[in-house]
Amino acid sequence: MRKLAYLVWLFATLNFHTISVISQEINTAFPFLNITPDARGGSMGETGAGTRPDAFSTYWNAAKAAYATNQLAFGISYTPWMRALRPDNNFIALGGYFRPDSSSAFCAMLRYFSFGNVNYIMPSSIVGQFRPNEYSLDGSYCKKILKNISVGIAGRYLASNLFVSGIAGNHLVKAIAFDAGLFCQDYFKLKTKTGILRYGISIVNAGPKIDYDTSSQLNFMPVRIVTGGGIELKINSNNRIATQYELSKFLVPIYGNNNDISAVKGLWLSFYDAPGGMEEELREINVGVGVEYIFKELFFLRAGYYYQDPSKGNMQYLTTGLGIKYNVFGLDFSYLIPKNIQRHPLQNTLRFTLTFNLEELKS
């Protein structure tokens, strides 16, 4: 019998990266890994693979933090997730980096998703209550291999107790996953103005297939390939503007019996398994674009747009947000505005992020 927790997982973690509401549904293990943790990325159309490094860089690209300007930064982010469906879903992320020298960085991140109290229901009555949750603990290292290019790797420990095993209690699932990324940053001059060009590409959440409830059904990890870039242009001494784009695709096969496909084979099969050929494969690419206005490194105004093909999820929405920085403290907000559904499970989604950016540590 399908447990109530499975329904909770489908509805409470429904998000723009994993669930198709029309056709060709892509279901994966640990779907919370695809939730944007920080308000800055969330306010610019879910982009971050090629943006300026910050405390949450390891989520977007394991190689980014090598170009961070501070020696130490950390932050905490909170998202009341999909409150239109459940009133007590919460997503919390802690992230940071440390640069021991000018060419490398260590990063860490903790992400925790709580579903609140859930009743365990038998056919005739409620027989118990539990609090399902998922979390991940990440660690990464990146280093510049050339003046303008860095590489990075990340490891991730995952745990989930979304499923219950009878009245006895939750069934705990554990797993590991890995990321690999490349990041480029270079300076350029446009007439009398200077700017920074950034580009990144990464493969995230590569790992073994997961058995959630000791059944014969195996679930792929939410493996994705992500690429993106942007330009940050200095208009004058007080004003700058940055533009970003990002493309992402799940490396998860949609068609066929998942139990007959290994995790490694699934990576390659995801590029050509669609019956519609290359045209359908291209529709599986999600697109995000964003823009950021920066005033004196004190005030930040952001906006973006996220697009998913109607046949592959149809999640399309506008994002907006702002940031304020004072001394070493930064406070960011983001807000999501659904475009194509009158009542949307992600409507009114807010993110709040508090960051601390410290200059070089003194002995």
Side-chain angles (χ1 to χ4, degrees), residues 175-189:
I176 57 173
F178 301 93
D179 300 353
L182 180 144
F183 187 76
C184 305
Q185 178 172 296
D186 201 2
Y187 293 84
F188 68 92
K189 197 157 189 175

Side-chain angles (χ1 to χ4, degrees), residues 215-347:
S215 69
S216 59
Q217 179 64 44
L218 299 178
N219 299 272
F220 285 96
M221 293 291 291
V223 191
R224 291 186 299 139
I225 182 169
V226 184
T227 181
I231 294 175
E232 182 178 317
L233 187 64
K234 183 177 180 181
I235 301 173
N236 53 45
S237 60
N238 293 329
N239 301 278
R240 282 184 293 149
I241 190 166
T243 59
Q244 315 290 336
Y245 82 92
E246 184 164 304
L247 308 175
S248 64
K249 182 187 186 302
F250 273 97
L251 303 185
V252 177
I254 303 176
Y255 303 92
N257 187 344
N258 285 354
N259 289 352
D260 297 332
I261 304 171
S262 68
V264 175
K265 184 179 179 181
L267 298 177
W268 305 110
L269 189 62
S270 65
F271 286 103
Y272 60 88
D273 67 323
M278 184 55 64
E279 181 180 351
E280 184 175 349
E281 292 290 350
L282 291 174
R283 291 201 299 269
E284 294 180 8
I285 299 175
N286 302 321
V287 182
V289 293
V291 61
E292 179 180 38
Y293 166 71
I294 306 164
F295 176 72
K296 288 187 174 181
E297 287 292 336
L298 298 176
F299 178 76
F300 306 82
L301 185 63
R302 305 172 180 122
Y305 180 70
Y306 182 86
Y307 175 82
Q308 190 178 60
D309 188 89
S311 67
K312 299 296 180 178
N314 201 30
M315 292 295 182
Q316 302 170 26
Y317 50 86
L318 301 169
T319 61
T320 185
L322 58 87
I324 301 171
K325 182 180 178 183
Y326 177 74
N327 202 349
V328 299
F329 303 98
L331 187 60
D332 298 298
F333 305 89
S334 70
Y335 185 72
L336 187 150
I337 307 169
K339 172 181 175 293
N340 57 350
I341 301 178
Q342 184 175 3
R343 181 165 177 79
H344 196 287
L346 293 176
Q347 68 185 19

Side-chain angles (χ1 to χ4, degrees), residues 105-117:
F106 293 93
C107 301
M109 176 174 287
L110 171 66
R111 284 173 281 174
Y112 177 81
F113 194 105
S114 172
F115 298 90
N117 292 318

Side-chain angles (χ1 to χ4, degrees), residues 96-268:
Y97 65 80
F98 169 68
R99 299 185 65 208
D101 53 51
S102 61
S103 64
S104 63
F106 293 93
C107 301
M109 176 174 287
L110 171 66
R111 284 173 281 174
Y112 177 81
F113 194 105
S114 172
F115 298 90
N117 292 318
V118 176
N119 293 325
Y120 183 72
I121 301 176
M122 297 298 282
S124 59
S125 64
I126 298 175
V127 297
Q129 191 176 79
F130 68 109
R131 295 180 62 87
N133 61 76
E134 294 186 309
Y135 68 88
S136 69
L137 181 61
D138 307 359
S140 66
Y141 174 75
C142 57
K143 185 174 180 60
K144 297 177 185 177
I145 56 174
L146 295 172
K147 179 181 178 181
N148 302 318
I149 299 176
S150 64
V151 295
I153 56 173
R156 181 167 300 113
Y157 171 79
L158 299 148
S160 170
N161 65 349
L162 295 187
F163 286 80
V164 293
S165 180
I167 306 177
N170 297 50
H171 172 61
L172 185 64
V173 175
K174 302 176 182 178
I176 57 173
F178 301 93
D179 300 353
L182 180 144
F183 187 76
C184 305
Q185 178 172 296
D186 201 2
Y187 293 84
F188 68 92
K189 197 157 189 175
L190 183 63
K191 294 184 178 179
T192 60
K193 296 178 174 58
T194 59
I196 305 175
L197 175 66
R198 299 184 179 96
Y199 172 78
I201 183 170
S202 60
I203 295 178
V204 300
N205 301 320
K209 296 168 71 175
I210 304 300
D211 181 2
Y212 261 101
D213 57 353
T214 66
S215 69
S216 59
Q217 179 64 44
L218 299 178
N219 299 272
F220 285 96
M221 293 291 291
V223 191
R224 291 186 299 139
I225 182 169
V226 184
T227 181
I231 294 175
E232 182 178 317
L233 187 64
K234 183 177 180 181
I235 301 173
N236 53 45
S237 60
N238 293 329
N239 301 278
R240 282 184 293 149
I241 190 166
T243 59
Q244 315 290 336
Y245 82 92
E246 184 164 304
L247 308 175
S248 64
K249 182 187 186 302
F250 273 97
L251 303 185
V252 177
I254 303 176
Y255 303 92
N257 187 344
N258 285 354
N259 289 352
D260 297 332
I261 304 171
S262 68
V264 175
K265 184 179 179 181
L267 298 177
W268 305 110

Side-chain angles (χ1 to χ4, degrees), residues 67-88:
Y67 288 94
T69 56
N70 297 306
Q71 186 177 8
L72 175 68
F74 58 94
I76 179 171
S77 188
Y78 171 70
T79 306
W81 186 249
M82 296 188 69
R83 292 299 178 87
L85 292 180
R86 286 185 54 81
D88 51 358

